[in-house]
C-alpha cells in the first residue's frame, strides 16, 4: 500500500494481481489511466504497474516476484522473488542485477545507503542483514 506524495491517493495491489488506485479520503476508485500516470508516489512497494514492468522476466508467473521497494531518492527499486533473488533495478526499471539471498521482506534505509533484507535459511528466520548498494 502506497500513498501519493500529497496524500491524495492510495495504491494497492490486490490478491488477483491488479493495481488499484483510490482517492483519499473519499475512497473512490480512480480508473482514468492518464490521471494515474501523473501521480507522484511518496513510496512504492507494488510489484504491479507500468513503472515496474521490467522486473518481470519473460517466463515469470504472477506470484514469482514477492516484494518491491523503491529507494527514498526514487531512483532504485529492489525486489525479492521466489527464486531466492534480491535484485536491484533502476526506477523505472531496466534490469540491473545485484546479489542474491532467499528473500522474505525488503526495505531501503532512510538515507538509501543500504538495502535491508530479511531472509530464511533452514526454515528459521534470521535477523535483518544489510547489503551495500
Amino acid at each position: 500500500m502506497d500513498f501519493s506524495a500529497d496524500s491524495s491517493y492510495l495504491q494497492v495491489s490486490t490478491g488477483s494481481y491488479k493495481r488499484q488506485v483510490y482517492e483519499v479520503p473519499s475512497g473512490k476508485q480512480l480508473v482514468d489511466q492518464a490521471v494515474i500516470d501523473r501521480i507522484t508516489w511518496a513510496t512504492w512497494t507494488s510489484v504491479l504497474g507500468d513503472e515496474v514492468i521490467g522486473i518481470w522476466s519473460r517466463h515469470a508467473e504472477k506470484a514469482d516476484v514477492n516484494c518491491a521497494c523503491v529507494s527514498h531518492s526514487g531512483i532504485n527499486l529492489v525486489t525479492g522473488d521466489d527464486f531466492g533473488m534480491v535484485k536491484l533495478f533502476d526506477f523505472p526499471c531496466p534490469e540491473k542485477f545485484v546479489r542474491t539471498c532467499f528473500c522474505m521482506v525488503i526495505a531501503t534505509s532512510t538515507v538509501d545507503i543500504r538495502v535491508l533484507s530479511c531472509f530464511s535459511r533452514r526454515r528459521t528466520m534470521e535477523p535483518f542483514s544489510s547489503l551495500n548498494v
Side-chain angles (χ1 to χ4, degrees):
M1 176 171 60
D2 302 294
F3 281 94
S4 62
D6 65 1
S7 299
S8 297
Y9 302 98
L10 172 74
Q11 79 171 348
V12 296
S13 299
T14 69
S16 59
Y17 299 97
K18 292 187 179 8
R19 175 184 175 205
Q20 296 179 338
V21 177
Y22 296 93
E23 293 178 353
V24 174
S26 71
K28 179 183 173 193
Q29 186 174 356
L30 215 64
V31 292
D32 184 348
Q33 191 61 46
V35 173
I36 293 170
D37 290 343
R38 288 192 305 270
I39 298 172
T40 301
W41 297 99
T43 60
W44 189 287
T45 57
S46 179
V47 297
L48 304 174
D50 291 340
E51 296 85 346
V52 294
I53 200 77
I55 68 175
W56 299 96
S57 69
R58 278 186 207 160
H59 308 294
E61 295 181 14
K62 288 181 179 178
D64 286 348
V65 180
N66 301 318
C67 49
C69 184
V70 169
S71 63
H72 295 281
S73 63
I75 60 173
N76 297 112
L77 171 74
V78 182
T79 64
D81 66 28
D82 280 353
F83 306 106
M85 304 291 253
V86 173
K87 295 181 181 178
L88 177 67
F89 299 86
D90 292 333
F91 184 76
C93 38
E95 189 172 336
K96 182 178 176 182
F97 178 73
V98 178
R99 192 190 284 198
T100 68
C101 69
F102 186 78
C103 184
M104 305 293 287
V105 178
I106 55 176
T108 58
S109 64
T110 307
V111 290
D112 292 339
I113 296 172
R114 299 189 184 277
V115 172
L116 305 171
S117 62
C118 180
F119 59 98
S120 173
R121 288 189 185 144
R122 296 183 205 91
R123 299 183 191 154
T124 61
M125 188 60 93
E126 297 182 10
F128 277 82
S129 62
S130 60
L131 305 172
N132 287 326
V133 177

